[in-house]
Amino acid sequence: MVKVLKPGFYSSIQDFGRFNCQQYGVPYSGVMDRYSAGLANVVLGNASDLAVIEMTMTGVTLQFECNTFICVAGAHMNPKVNDRLVEQNKPIEIHEGDVLSFEKFEKGIRGYLGVLGGFLSKEVLGSRSMYKGITKQNVLLKNDIIEINAKTSFSMNKHSLIKVKDDVFESHFIEVLKGPEFDLLTQEQQEFLTSNIFSVSKNNSRMAYQLEERLENALKPIITSPVLPGTVQLTPSGQLIVLMRDCQTTGGYPRVFQLKESSINILAQKFTGDAIQFRLLEYLK
Amino acid sequence: MKYNLSYKLYGERAVLIEWPQEISENILKDVLSFKLKIEKFNLKQILEVKQSYCSLLVIYDFCVENLKPEISTIKKIYDKKSEAEELSFRQWVVPVCYDDVLGLDLEELSEQKKMSKSEIIQLHSESIYTTYFIGFLPGFLYLGGLNERLNTPRKSTPRLQVEKGAVAIGGNQTGIYPMASPGGWNIIGNTPVSLFDIDKKLPCFVKPGDKIKFKPVSLEEYNGIKALVEAGLYQVESKEVYG
């Protein structure tokens, strides 16, 4: 078991999401940055999609009530075990009673904590991902107890070759493919979208990232149609909204881009004021 | 009837199928029957098929290098002259209490429309509504079939909290809030029935294509049904209807 001493600014348990419930209007949810969360798992020999703790902006403080191994990945956040700094992206041995905490985040805004065997909170509709109205709580709270399996060993050597891509925190390029309404845009709008630098507005959350810069727009809303995480919507006022993991299942704004999966991970590490630029890729012929 | 459909790539892992962009029951039936056909075909790699008024989104399990060949596979499924899929739907009777205690905006609506409250209730509960799809919130039904006389613009200032079960009108649509949420629709009543229950095997008992009929109940009946719902003993009245 693990006890939450301090929950941090916004921490939740997430796996890769809740599938096959879109028909009931239930969002996918799941980790915002799949690359980093997957890394925290794979380093421990877990399947990449096991439940991890996703921390936003500040870290959690946890006390472990059994022996296990953990791994911290994602945003650079200076993890400490009992006040001793430990390395990210490497397995860390934990003994009963150890306290894990974090210093300031340096790069990126979402950190991931994996544990051997994954966090074993209650599964709802096939997933442990927290989401308001589906799971009992949508964030971790002080004194929460989370189940884990006590483990004392795992084979380490087969994971020694993992090479960590750190460029997700440096790159400001967001790779996109044309969305279904892209061709309805004027030539000028298309050029504006691909040549301009956009900044992340303060309205950024697990549901969506709104961008600051607007473009001239006369495009009308569409009849409500399916959307996915990574869909870029254009509102009648010319604002761009990039849908993220907790987004609704359908939407009524024109869909101008669809992010590549890898770019959703990059955007998930961006915060208010960060610059991004769309790079339009072609569909294979 | 076969429609002229358009097929578009939607990112790395989905294909969007579009019907003529209009809201109609005939299109809905064709959308649902194509969805069923694709699902029955059991194509490997398909994670799920999402549906709304006049579109289907076929989502693949993982990023497929080139989805173009997948489009021709899906097209063939549509063109296939399989024995017409007999779609079967249910018509659900949803009890609604339109009492002033729950129908917070009924009075205002009545003044605005110069209609008596009972006339509004009559118009709202006599129509049979069609469920087009579920979205916005878990268990929120997109219903078609609101009497034009009941069209009402959304409130200029949305409420921060609309209660679970609130039955409301927004523009030319009517709906039920499946859980407490902020909302700008005009509230005319409340249903004691749960439209979304994560503890049930089928979290939402209504499916796209199903019909909804509202049945006015008194505050006393409302409380009685509510108690039964909470005890897990209430069975929503329904019958089979054919598409």
Side-chain angles (χ1 to χ4, degrees), chain A residues 87-98:
Chain A
E87 276 189 277
Q88 289 200 194
N89 309 325
K90 296 256 168 73
I92 300 164
E93 189 167 5
I94 292 287
H95 297 105
E96 189 181 336
D98 281 352

mmCIF file with all atom_site columns, all heavy atoms in Angstrom, chain A residues 87-98:
data_model
loop_
_atom_site.group_PDB
_atom_site.id
_atom_site.type_symbol
_atom_site.label_atom_id
_atom_site.label_alt_id
_atom_site.label_comp_id
_atom_site.label_asym_id
_atom_site.label_entity_id
_atom_site.label_seq_id
_atom_site.pdbx_PDB_ins_code
_atom_site.Cartn_x
_atom_site.Cartn_y
_atom_site.Cartn_z
_atom_site.occupancy
_atom_site.B_iso_or_equiv
_atom_site.pdbx_formal_charge
_atom_site.auth_seq_id
_atom_site.auth_comp_id
_atom_site.auth_asym_id
_atom_site.auth_atom_id
_atom_site.pdbx_PDB_model_num
ATOM 1  N N   . GLU A 1 87 ? 17.616 9.267  -9.260  1.00 0.00 ? 87 GLU A N   1
ATOM 2  C CA  . GLU A 1 87 ? 17.587 9.499  -10.703 1.00 0.00 ? 87 GLU A CA  1
ATOM 3  C C   . GLU A 1 87 ? 16.227 9.200  -11.321 1.00 0.00 ? 87 GLU A C   1
ATOM 4  O O   . GLU A 1 87 ? 15.531 8.285  -10.884 1.00 0.00 ? 87 GLU A O   1
ATOM 5  C CB  . GLU A 1 87 ? 18.621 8.588  -11.377 1.00 0.00 ? 87 GLU A CB  1
ATOM 6  C CG  . GLU A 1 87 ? 20.019 9.158  -11.377 1.00 0.00 ? 87 GLU A CG  1
ATOM 7  C CD  . GLU A 1 87 ? 20.925 8.307  -12.247 1.00 0.00 ? 87 GLU A CD  1
ATOM 8  O OE1 . GLU A 1 87 ? 21.426 7.293  -11.749 1.00 0.00 ? 87 GLU A OE1 1
ATOM 9  O OE2 . GLU A 1 87 ? 21.089 8.662  -13.428 1.00 0.00 ? 87 GLU A OE2 1
ATOM 10 N N   . GLN A 1 88 ? 15.899 9.961  -12.366 1.00 0.00 ? 88 GLN A N   1
ATOM 11 C CA  . GLN A 1 88 ? 14.694 9.663  -13.156 1.00 0.00 ? 88 GLN A CA  1
ATOM 12 C C   . GLN A 1 88 ? 15.029 8.609  -14.200 1.00 0.00 ? 88 GLN A C   1
ATOM 13 O O   . GLN A 1 88 ? 16.184 8.370  -14.503 1.00 0.00 ? 88 GLN A O   1
ATOM 14 C CB  . GLN A 1 88 ? 14.190 10.928 -13.857 1.00 0.00 ? 88 GLN A CB  1
ATOM 15 C CG  . GLN A 1 88 ? 13.595 11.912 -12.882 1.00 0.00 ? 88 GLN A CG  1
ATOM 16 C CD  . GLN A 1 88 ? 12.656 12.932 -13.530 1.00 0.00 ? 88 GLN A CD  1
ATOM 17 O OE1 . GLN A 1 88 ? 12.340 13.904 -12.909 1.00 0.00 ? 88 GLN A OE1 1
ATOM 18 N NE2 . GLN A 1 88 ? 12.208 12.706 -14.777 1.00 0.00 ? 88 GLN A NE2 1
ATOM 19 N N   . ASN A 1 89 ? 14.000 7.993  -14.741 1.00 0.00 ? 89 ASN A N   1
ATOM 20 C CA  . ASN A 1 89 ? 14.114 7.018  -15.830 1.00 0.00 ? 89 ASN A CA  1
ATOM 21 C C   . ASN A 1 89 ? 14.922 5.776  -15.454 1.00 0.00 ? 89 ASN A C   1
ATOM 22 O O   . ASN A 1 89 ? 15.422 5.070  -16.327 1.00 0.00 ? 89 ASN A O   1
ATOM 23 C CB  . ASN A 1 89 ? 14.721 7.655  -17.094 1.00 0.00 ? 89 ASN A CB  1
ATOM 24 C CG  . ASN A 1 89 ? 14.022 8.938  -17.486 1.00 0.00 ? 89 ASN A CG  1
ATOM 25 O OD1 . ASN A 1 89 ? 12.808 9.059  -17.315 1.00 0.00 ? 89 ASN A OD1 1
ATOM 26 N ND2 . ASN A 1 89 ? 14.765 9.904  -17.983 1.00 0.00 ? 89 ASN A ND2 1
ATOM 27 N N   . LYS A 1 90 ? 15.106 5.547  -14.171 1.00 0.00 ? 90 LYS A N   1
ATOM 28 C CA  . LYS A 1 90 ? 15.839 4.368  -13.690 1.00 0.00 ? 90 LYS A CA  1
ATOM 29 C C   . LYS A 1 90 ? 14.993 3.721  -12.590 1.00 0.00 ? 90 LYS A C   1
ATOM 30 O O   . LYS A 1 90 ? 14.270 4.405  -11.869 1.00 0.00 ? 90 LYS A O   1
ATOM 31 C CB  . LYS A 1 90 ? 17.183 4.790  -13.064 1.00 0.00 ? 90 LYS A CB  1
ATOM 32 C CG  . LYS A 1 90 ? 18.172 5.430  -14.028 1.00 0.00 ? 90 LYS A CG  1
ATOM 33 C CD  . LYS A 1 90 ? 19.274 4.435  -14.383 1.00 0.00 ? 90 LYS A CD  1
ATOM 34 C CE  . LYS A 1 90 ? 20.111 4.900  -15.551 1.00 0.00 ? 90 LYS A CE  1
ATOM 35 N NZ  . LYS A 1 90 ? 21.002 5.992  -15.233 1.00 0.00 ? 90 LYS A NZ  1
ATOM 36 N N   . PRO A 1 91 ? 15.118 2.395  -12.443 1.00 0.00 ? 91 PRO A N   1
ATOM 37 C CA  . PRO A 1 91 ? 14.400 1.768  -11.332 1.00 0.00 ? 91 PRO A CA  1
ATOM 38 C C   . PRO A 1 91 ? 14.979 2.201  -9.993  1.00 0.00 ? 91 PRO A C   1
ATOM 39 O O   . PRO A 1 91 ? 16.197 2.353  -9.860  1.00 0.00 ? 91 PRO A O   1
ATOM 40 C CB  . PRO A 1 91 ? 14.624 0.271  -11.551 1.00 0.00 ? 91 PRO A CB  1
ATOM 41 C CG  . PRO A 1 91 ? 15.591 0.121  -12.647 1.00 0.00 ? 91 PRO A CG  1
ATOM 42 C CD  . PRO A 1 91 ? 15.923 1.446  -13.225 1.00 0.00 ? 91 PRO A CD  1
ATOM 43 N N   . ILE A 1 92 ? 14.121 2.473  -9.027  1.00 0.00 ? 92 ILE A N   1
ATOM 44 C CA  . ILE A 1 92 ? 14.562 2.886  -7.694  1.00 0.00 ? 92 ILE A CA  1
ATOM 45 C C   . ILE A 1 92 ? 13.996 1.885  -6.690  1.00 0.00 ? 92 ILE A C   1
ATOM 46 O O   . ILE A 1 92 ? 12.786 1.615  -6.688  1.00 0.00 ? 92 ILE A O   1
ATOM 47 C CB  . ILE A 1 92 ? 14.024 4.304  -7.362  1.00 0.00 ? 92 ILE A CB  1
ATOM 48 C CG1 . ILE A 1 92 ? 14.527 5.315  -8.385  1.00 0.00 ? 92 ILE A CG1 1
ATOM 49 C CG2 . ILE A 1 92 ? 14.435 4.714  -5.943  1.00 0.00 ? 92 ILE A CG2 1
ATOM 50 C CD1 . ILE A 1 92 ? 13.749 6.617  -8.368  1.00 0.00 ? 92 ILE A CD1 1
ATOM 51 N N   . GLU A 1 93 ? 14.885 1.349  -5.859  1.00 0.00 ? 93 GLU A N   1
ATOM 52 C CA  . GLU A 1 93 ? 14.425 0.388  -4.857  1.00 0.00 ? 93 GLU A CA  1
ATOM 53 C C   . GLU A 1 93 ? 13.808 1.141  -3.672  1.00 0.00 ? 93 GLU A C   1
ATOM 54 O O   . GLU A 1 93 ? 14.366 2.134  -3.203  1.00 0.00 ? 93 GLU A O   1
ATOM 55 C CB  . GLU A 1 93 ? 15.584 -0.492 -4.392  1.00 0.00 ? 93 GLU A CB  1
ATOM 56 C CG  . GLU A 1 93 ? 15.099 -1.629 -3.532  1.00 0.00 ? 93 GLU A CG  1
ATOM 57 C CD  . GLU A 1 93 ? 16.162 -2.698 -3.295  1.00 0.00 ? 93 GLU A CD  1
ATOM 58 O OE1 . GLU A 1 93 ? 17.310 -2.500 -3.732  1.00 0.00 ? 93 GLU A OE1 1
ATOM 59 O OE2 . GLU A 1 93 ? 15.819 -3.718 -2.667  1.00 0.00 ? 93 GLU A OE2 1
ATOM 60 N N   . ILE A 1 94 ? 12.664 0.657  -3.227  1.00 0.00 ? 94 ILE A N   1
ATOM 61 C CA  . ILE A 1 94 ? 11.933 1.306  -2.128  1.00 0.00 ? 94 ILE A CA  1
ATOM 62 C C   . ILE A 1 94 ? 11.749 0.309  -0.999  1.00 0.00 ? 94 ILE A C   1
ATOM 63 O O   . ILE A 1 94 ? 11.415 -0.860 -1.241  1.00 0.00 ? 94 ILE A O   1
ATOM 64 C CB  . ILE A 1 94 ? 10.530 1.760  -2.641  1.00 0.00 ? 94 ILE A CB  1
ATOM 65 C CG1 . ILE A 1 94 ? 10.660 2.890  -3.651  1.00 0.00 ? 94 ILE A CG1 1
ATOM 66 C CG2 . ILE A 1 94 ? 9.618  2.159  -1.487  1.00 0.00 ? 94 ILE A CG2 1
ATOM 67 C CD1 . ILE A 1 94 ? 11.043 4.228  -3.086  1.00 0.00 ? 94 ILE A CD1 1
ATOM 68 N N   . HIS A 1 95 ? 11.991 0.771  0.215   1.00 0.00 ? 95 HIS A N   1
ATOM 69 C CA  . HIS A 1 95 ? 11.757 -0.083 1.379   1.00 0.00 ? 95 HIS A CA  1
ATOM 70 C C   . HIS A 1 95 ? 10.557 0.432  2.156   1.00 0.00 ? 95 HIS A C   1
ATOM 71 O O   . HIS A 1 95 ? 10.218 1.619  2.082   1.00 0.00 ? 95 HIS A O   1
ATOM 72 C CB  . HIS A 1 95 ? 13.004 -0.097 2.275   1.00 0.00 ? 95 HIS A CB  1
ATOM 73 C CG  . HIS A 1 95 ? 14.193 -0.682 1.581   1.00 0.00 ? 95 HIS A CG  1
ATOM 74 N ND1 . HIS A 1 95 ? 15.238 0.087  1.106   1.00 0.00 ? 95 HIS A ND1 1
ATOM 75 C CD2 . HIS A 1 95 ? 14.479 -1.966 1.250   1.00 0.00 ? 95 HIS A CD2 1
ATOM 76 C CE1 . HIS A 1 95 ? 16.120 -0.703 0.512   1.00 0.00 ? 95 HIS A CE1 1
ATOM 77 N NE2 . HIS A 1 95 ? 15.682 -1.955 0.581   1.00 0.00 ? 95 HIS A NE2 1
ATOM 78 N N   . GLU A 1 96 ? 9.942  -0.473 2.889   1.00 0.00 ? 96 GLU A N   1
ATOM 79 C CA  . GLU A 1 96 ? 8.787  -0.132 3.702   1.00 0.00 ? 96 GLU A CA  1
ATOM 80 C C   . GLU A 1 96 ? 9.097  1.116  4.541   1.00 0.00 ? 96 GLU A C   1
ATOM 81 O O   . GLU A 1 96 ? 10.151 1.191  5.169   1.00 0.00 ? 96 GLU A O   1
ATOM 82 C CB  . GLU A 1 96 ? 8.434  -1.315 4.611   1.00 0.00 ? 96 GLU A CB  1
ATOM 83 C CG  . GLU A 1 96 ? 7.126  -1.119 5.334   1.00 0.00 ? 96 GLU A CG  1
ATOM 84 C CD  . GLU A 1 96 ? 6.807  -2.292 6.265   1.00 0.00 ? 96 GLU A CD  1
ATOM 85 O OE1 . GLU A 1 96 ? 7.323  -3.410 6.020   1.00 0.00 ? 96 GLU A OE1 1
ATOM 86 O OE2 . GLU A 1 96 ? 6.050  -2.075 7.223   1.00 0.00 ? 96 GLU A OE2 1
ATOM 87 N N   . GLY A 1 97 ? 8.216  2.086  4.509   1.00 0.00 ? 97 GLY A N   1
ATOM 88 C CA  . GLY A 1 97 ? 8.409  3.298  5.313   1.00 0.00 ? 97 GLY A CA  1
ATOM 89 C C   . GLY A 1 97 ? 9.060  4.449  4.555   1.00 0.00 ? 97 GLY A C   1
ATOM 90 O O   . GLY A 1 97 ? 9.030  5.592  5.019   1.00 0.00 ? 97 GLY A O   1
ATOM 91 N N   . ASP A 1 98 ? 9.630  4.172  3.379   1.00 0.00 ? 98 ASP A N   1
ATOM 92 C CA  . ASP A 1 98 ? 10.283 5.238  2.597   1.00 0.00 ? 98 ASP A CA  1
ATOM 93 C C   . ASP A 1 98 ? 9.284  6.311  2.181   1.00 0.00 ? 98 ASP A C   1
ATOM 94 O O   . ASP A 1 98 ? 8.123  6.013  1.864   1.00 0.00 ? 98 ASP A O   1
ATOM 95 C CB  . ASP A 1 98 ? 10.932 4.668  1.325   1.00 0.00 ? 98 ASP A CB  1
ATOM 96 C CG  . ASP A 1 98 ? 12.277 4.006  1.617   1.00 0.00 ? 98 ASP A CG  1
ATOM 97 O OD1 . ASP A 1 98 ? 12.760 4.127  2.764   1.00 0.00 ? 98 ASP A OD1 1
ATOM 98 O OD2 . ASP A 1 98 ? 12.821 3.366  0.702   1.00 0.00 ? 98 ASP A OD2 1
#
